[in-house]
Amino acid sequence: MARWSDCYLLSEVRLRRPELQSSGVYELGFIRRRAGGTEDEFTPFYVGKAKVLYDRLSSYVSARCHNELIRIQHETGHLRIWYHTFRTLSYAESEARLQNRLGIGDAGYYRWNRRLEFLGRNDALL
């Protein structure tokens, strides 16, 4: 079973290049502390898949980032974007299952995703 990695700053993705030379799924979001809490909590806003995690994650710190919501957030730097990953060969199916289960857009868990990835006919939702 896949396990999410620890969280890391997206702006420092180059520091983890060796560990990110595999396929997998990633989430982008923010680290926040709940009111009255003592521990930080990762809140994801985007889920994606990658044949090579490093290549995909490093594309988000570029001025040519394909997702406007992420690009603007990274450029303004009001809140620092964090990520975590899990390695899997079935990255496309894993991403689709998460999106279908948790939802996208303003009404879903992954608010920055704008396109729903569909599962194949034989895939079941998690």
Side-chain angles (χ1 to χ4, degrees), residues 51-65:
K51 187 172 185 178
V52 179
L53 287 163
Y54 177 79
D55 294 344
R56 190 65 173 138
L57 288 168
S58 63
S59 75
Y60 290 108
V61 294
S62 164
R64 296 183 302 228
C65 175

Side-chain angles (χ1 to χ4, degrees), residues 1-3 86-87 126:
M1 173 168 234
R3 181 185 174 284
F86 71 80
R87 297 175 186 180
L126 293 175

Side-chain angles (χ1 to χ4, degrees), residues 26-88:
Y26 60 91
E27 289 181 328
L28 302 176
F30 301 110
I31 298 287
R32 296 189 172 134
R33 182 162 293 170
R34 289 197 171 186
T38 59
E39 296 199 17
D40 294 335
E41 180 178 293
F42 178 72
T43 304
F45 278 66
Y46 187 85
V47 65
K49 63 183 183 289
K51 187 172 185 178
V52 179
L53 287 163
Y54 177 79
D55 294 344
R56 190 65 173 138
L57 288 168
S58 63
S59 75
Y60 290 108
V61 294
S62 164
R64 296 183 302 228
C65 175
H66 72 284
N67 186 303
E68 183 179 0
L69 296 168
I70 296 169
R71 185 179 67 247
I72 290 170
Q73 185 60 49
H74 179 70
E75 288 173 355
T76 60
H78 292 126
L79 291 171
R80 299 185 302 171
I81 299 174
W82 294 74
Y83 71 93
H84 65 175
T85 64
F86 71 80
R87 297 175 186 180
T88 178

